[in-house]
Coordinates of all heavy atoms in Angstrom, one line a residue:
L1450 N 25.1 -21.0 27.3 CA 23.6 -20.7 27.3 C 23.3 -19.7 28.4 O 22.4 -18.9 28.3 CB 22.9 -22.0 27.6 CG 22.9 -23.0 26.4 CD1 22.2 -24.3 26.8 CD2 22.4 -22.4 25.1
S1535 N 13.5 -24.0 9.9 CA 13.5 -23.7 11.4 C 13.9 -24.9 12.2 O 13.8 -26.1 11.7 CB 12.1 -23.2 11.8 OG 11.1 -24.2 11.7
G1639 N 47.0 -23.4 13.1 CA 47.2 -22.1 13.7 C 46.1 -21.7 14.6 O 46.2 -20.7 15.3
N1700 N 28.4 -3.2 3.0 CA 29.3 -2.1 2.7 C 30.7 -2.2 3.2 O 31.5 -1.3 3.2 CB 28.7 -0.8 3.2 CG 28.5 -0.7 4.7 OD1 28.9 -1.6 5.4 ND2 27.9 0.3 5.2
I1708 N 26.7 -9.3 24.9 CA 25.7 -9.8 26.0 C 25.4 -8.6 26.9 O 24.3 -8.5 27.4 CB 26.3 -11.0 26.7 CG1 26.3 -12.2 25.8 CG2 25.4 -11.3 28.0 CD1 25.0 -12.7 25.4
L1709 N 26.4 -7.7 27.2 CA 26.2 -6.7 28.2 C 26.1 -5.3 27.7 O 25.7 -4.4 28.5 CB 27.4 -6.8 29.2 CG 27.7 -8.1 29.8 CD1 29.0 -8.1 30.6 CD2 26.6 -8.6 30.6
F1757 N 14.8 -2.5 15.1 CA 15.1 -2.2 13.7 C 16.0 -1.0 13.7 O 15.6 0.1 14.2 CB 13.9 -2.0 12.9 CG 14.1 -1.6 11.5 CD1 14.5 -2.5 10.5 CD2 14.0 -0.3 11.1 CE1 14.7 -2.1 9.2 CE2 14.2 0.2 9.8 CZ 14.6 -0.8 8.9
Y1796 N 22.6 24.9 24.2 CA 23.5 23.8 24.5 C 24.5 23.7 23.3 O 24.1 23.9 22.2 CB 22.8 22.5 24.7 CG 22.0 22.4 26.0 CD1 20.7 23.0 26.1 CD2 22.6 21.8 27.1 CE1 20.0 22.9 27.3 CE2 21.9 21.8 28.3 CZ 20.6 22.3 28.4 OH 19.9 22.3 29.6
H1854 N 12.3 36.6 16.2 CA 12.8 36.5 14.8 C 13.6 37.7 14.4 O 13.1 38.8 14.5 CB 11.6 36.2 13.9 CG 12.1 35.7 12.5 ND1 11.2 35.8 11.4 CD2 13.2 35.2 12.1 CE1 11.9 35.3 10.4 NE2 13.1 34.9 10.8
E1903 N 9.2 42.1 -1.9 CA 9.9 42.8 -2.9 C 9.6 44.3 -3.0 O 10.4 45.1 -3.5 CB 9.6 42.2 -4.3 CG 10.0 40.7 -4.4 CD 11.5 40.6 -4.3 OE1 12.3 41.2 -5.1 OE2 12.0 39.8 -3.4
I1956 N 5.2 33.2 1.6 CA 4.2 32.1 1.8 C 3.6 32.3 3.2 O 4.4 32.4 4.2 CB 4.8 30.7 1.6 CG1 5.5 30.6 0.3 CG2 3.7 29.7 1.8 CD1 4.7 30.7 -0.9
A2002 N 5.4 13.5 9.1 CA 6.4 13.3 8.1 C 6.9 14.6 7.5 O 6.2 15.7 7.6 CB 5.9 12.4 6.9
L2044 N 19.9 15.4 8.4 CA 19.7 14.8 7.1 C 20.9 15.2 6.2 O 21.3 16.3 6.0 CB 18.5 15.5 6.5 CG 18.2 15.1 5.0 CD1 18.0 13.6 4.8 CD2 17.0 15.9 4.4
L2059 N 7.4 -1.7 -3.1 CA 6.2 -2.1 -3.7 C 5.2 -2.6 -2.7 O 5.5 -3.6 -2.0 CB 6.4 -3.2 -4.8 CG 5.2 -3.7 -5.5 CD1 4.6 -2.6 -6.4 CD2 5.6 -4.9 -6.4
V2081 N -9.8 -13.3 -11.2 CA -10.4 -14.4 -10.4 C -11.9 -14.3 -10.4 O -12.5 -13.2 -10.3 CB -9.8 -14.2 -8.9 CG1 -10.5 -15.3 -8.0 CG2 -8.3 -14.3 -8.9
L2090 N -16.2 -8.9 0.2 CA -14.7 -9.2 0.1 C -14.0 -8.4 1.2 O -14.3 -7.2 1.5 CB -14.2 -8.8 -1.3 CG -14.3 -9.9 -2.4 CD1 -15.8 -10.1 -2.8 CD2 -13.5 -9.5 -3.6
W2107 N -6.6 3.2 -1.1 CA -7.1 2.2 -2.0 C -8.1 2.8 -3.0 O -8.6 3.8 -2.8 CB -7.7 1.1 -1.2 CG -8.9 1.5 -0.3 CD1 -8.8 1.9 1.0 CD2 -10.2 1.8 -0.7 NE1 -10.0 2.3 1.5 CE2 -10.9 2.3 0.4 CE3 -10.9 1.6 -1.9 CZ2 -12.3 2.6 0.4 CZ3 -12.3 2.0 -1.9 CH2 -12.9 2.4 -0.8
G2111 N -14.2 0.0 -11.2 CA -15.5 -0.7 -11.4 C -16.5 -0.3 -10.3 O -17.7 -0.5 -10.4
S2151 N -7.2 -8.3 -9.7 CA -8.4 -8.3 -10.6 C -9.3 -9.4 -10.3 O -8.9 -10.6 -10.1 CB -7.9 -8.4 -12.1 OG -7.1 -7.3 -12.4
A2172 N -40.5 -19.1 -22.6 CA -41.3 -18.1 -23.4 C -41.8 -18.8 -24.7 O -42.9 -18.6 -25.1 CB -40.6 -16.8 -23.6
L2178 N -47.8 -23.0 -27.1 CA -49.1 -23.4 -26.5 C -50.2 -22.5 -26.9 O -51.3 -22.9 -27.2 CB -49.0 -23.6 -25.0 CG -48.1 -24.7 -24.5 CD1 -48.0 -24.7 -23.0 CD2 -48.6 -26.1 -25.0
E2224 N -64.5 -11.8 -36.2 CA -63.7 -12.9 -35.7 C -62.4 -13.0 -36.5 O -61.3 -13.3 -36.0 CB -64.5 -14.2 -35.7 CG -65.6 -14.2 -34.7 CD -66.4 -15.5 -34.7 OE1 -66.1 -16.3 -35.6 OE2 -67.3 -15.7 -33.9
A2314 N -53.6 -1.3 -40.9 CA -52.6 -0.3 -41.1 C -51.3 -1.0 -41.5 O -51.0 -2.2 -41.2 CB -52.5 0.6 -39.9
K2316 N -48.4 -0.5 -40.0 CA -47.7 -1.0 -38.8 C -48.2 -2.3 -38.4 O -47.5 -3.1 -37.8 CB -48.0 0.1 -37.7 CG -47.3 -0.2 -36.4 CD -47.5 0.9 -35.4 CE -46.8 0.6 -34.1 NZ -47.0 1.7 -33.1
N2331 N -43.3 0.0 -49.5 CA -42.8 -0.4 -50.8 C -43.8 -1.3 -51.5 O -44.0 -1.2 -52.7 CB -41.4 -0.9 -50.7 CG -40.4 0.1 -50.3 OD1 -40.6 1.3 -50.5 ND2 -39.3 -0.3 -49.7

Side-chain angles (χ1 to χ4, degrees):
L1450 295 176
S1535 65
N1700 63 3
I1708 292 294
L1709 304 177
F1757 173 81
Y1796 289 82
H1854 193 196
E1903 295 298 304
I1956 307 296
L2044 172 63
L2059 177 68
V2081 177
L2090 273 71
W2107 56 266
S2151 300
L2178 294 176
E2224 292 178 356
K2316 184 176 180 181
N2331 291 336

